[in-house]
Amino acid sequence: PSTTKPTAGEPLRQAATKPAARSAPSLISGDMKVKGSMVSEGEIQIDGSIEGDVKATALTVGDTGEISGEIVAETIVVRGKVKGHIRARKVQLASSAKVEGDITHSSLSIEANAVFEGQVKHSDDPLKTAPKPVSAMQTGS
């Protein structure tokens, strides 16, 4: 009897400890608009519009994709528009990319004709480097 059916809590514990394994990325299609932050343990492809921060393991902003907010991932490929800070170990700006904001990276590639306005900062671990909020800097007084 114990081998036929796990208890109710067992699948939840297993799911929490297993790394996410997906055959395809989560997709925000071109006709979708999202307001709010998104977090994924896997890969996200955004072809729609996001107003908010996005955090994932891998992130692709498609040709029609637009993000207004900070994006954080191990790898980020931008083909569409991003307005906000980008933090990733590997960042690739395709020729169709339009980025307005700073990029913190370990590895950066920018194809010809990509539009980028902002500052670039190299970091050995860009995922640990977060800009300090103004309120945290003022707590000492």
Side-chain angles (χ1 to χ4, degrees):
S2 62
T3 58
T4 57
K5 199 170 191 178
T7 62
E10 284 182 47
L12 295 175
R13 279 196 300 274
Q14 290 173 351
T17 57
K18 279 187 180 178
R22 290 197 178 143
S23 58
S26 298
L27 180 64
I28 304 298
S29 62
D31 62 345
M32 190 165 183
K33 294 182 180 181
V34 177
K35 287 188 181 185
S37 298
M38 298 174 60
V39 177
S40 173
E41 295 287 323
E43 184 178 350
I44 301 176
Q45 178 169 334
I46 296 174
D47 293 320
S49 174
I50 308 291
E51 282 185 44
D53 299 340
V54 180
K55 186 173 184 179
T57 302
L59 176 65
T60 300
V61 181
D63 293 325
T64 59
E66 294 185 28
I67 298 177
S68 293
E70 181 180 45
I71 57 177
V72 179
E74 289 281 331
T75 60
I76 295 176
V77 177
V78 180
R79 293 187 178 96
K81 297 178 185 176
V82 174
K83 188 173 185 178
H85 193 107
I86 295 174
R87 287 192 297 129
R89 294 191 200 287
K90 183 178 177 186
V91 179
Q92 178 185 346
L93 303 185
S95 60
S96 56
K98 291 179 175 54
V99 176
E100 186 180 323
D102 297 344
I103 298 175
T104 304
H105 66 91
S106 291
S107 169
L108 173 66
S109 66
I110 303 176
E111 292 180 4
N113 298 323
V115 177
F116 168 58
E117 294 182 28
Q119 296 182 344
V120 176
K121 181 180 179 193
H122 180 270
S123 172
D124 291 331
D125 196 355
L127 303 180
K128 300 270 189 234
T129 309
K132 291 184 180 178
V134 176
S135 58
M137 292 191 287
Q138 295 176 346
T139 55
S141 39

